[in-house]
Amino acid sequence: GGSVSGEKLTDAEARRLIAMLKRALIEAIDFPDRGKKAEFDVVGDTKKDLFTVSIFRGKIQSKKYSIGARIKKNGISLLELHINATNVHFNPDGEKITKDHWHVYTEEYGRKLAFPAEDIHSEKFEENTVRFLKKFHVVEPPKIRCQMEL
């Protein structure tokens, strides 16, 4: 350890926050343009837990994007999905992750641990966003508006 990067969560607390039922605080969101980010907040069923979901789209490769969810007050990243990632991700144990992958917060590694997204079989941004929001337990997700150029 020895890192003083602010607050840490236990694995159990991170899992509790991920599993908590949540509602989006907006009705709809537009998929971002290339090189841009779109964000919206979701609130947990406790009402005091707020999270921010962000969608970032690659500038050069328009089909490359990542979706992440973090705790609003401290910025701790709980869950991320990287689609069409071009760079290889190395896990702390040296394992190489090359394709679509999830990052899930762990107490030991923060957001550094990734695993292949075998549950992602779609080229479609909307479907993958819905998959992400399901995994983050957002029961009332926003509508996703998408003008995807080819």
Side-chain angles (χ1 to χ4, degrees):
S3 79
V4 256
S5 60
E7 299 178 57
K8 270 194 135 178
L9 294 175
T10 63
D11 289 345
E13 179 69 359
R15 278 196 295 272
R16 183 185 74 80
L17 291 171
I18 290 171
M20 177 188 288
L21 296 181
K22 305 169 190 79
R23 291 188 325 281
L25 294 178
I26 56 160
E27 302 216 338
I29 186 158
D30 293 306
F31 186 57
D33 294 329
R34 290 171 183 234
K36 297 272 190 285
K37 191 159 75 164
E39 294 196 330
F40 61 93
D41 288 347
V42 297
V43 62
D45 56 6
T46 56
K47 303 275 191 290
K48 70 175 172 49
D49 288 292
L50 269 175
F51 309 89
T52 301
V53 173
S54 71
I55 301 162
F56 178 78
R57 186 161 167 210
K59 202 178 192 129
I60 293 124
Q61 285 144 311
S62 61
K63 287 191 163 70
K64 175 181 170 178
Y65 55 90
S66 61
I67 310 167
R70 63 182 190 269
I71 301 170
K72 192 172 172 81
K73 70 170 188 281
N74 58 19
I76 290 177
S77 175
L78 293 170
L79 186 66
E80 287 173 44
L81 173 61
H82 294 225
I83 298 286
N84 293 321
T86 40
N87 50 339
V88 175
H89 175 86
F90 287 94
N91 271 336
D93 65 357
E95 182 195 6
K96 270 197 220 180
I97 310 278
T98 50
K99 297 197 167 49
D100 302 344
H101 58 273
W102 292 95
H103 289 263
V104 179
Y105 180 92
T106 65
E107 186 174 3
E108 189 172 1
Y109 298 118
R111 64 166 295 287
K112 292 189 188 81
L113 206 59
F115 56 94
E118 271 130 15
D119 46 356
I120 298 292
H121 305 289
S122 174
E123 281 294 293
K124 292 194 178 67
F125 162 76
E126 297 96 322
E127 281 175 32
N128 292 337
T129 304
V130 166
R131 172 69 52 117
F132 178 90
L133 293 172
K134 271 206 177 98
K135 204 176 183 95
F136 197 51
H137 295 91
V138 179
V139 289
E140 291 178 33
K143 283 183 193 60
I144 298 138
R145 293 188 294 240
C146 195
Q147 291 87 37
M148 193 68 142
E149 83 271 5
L150 297 171

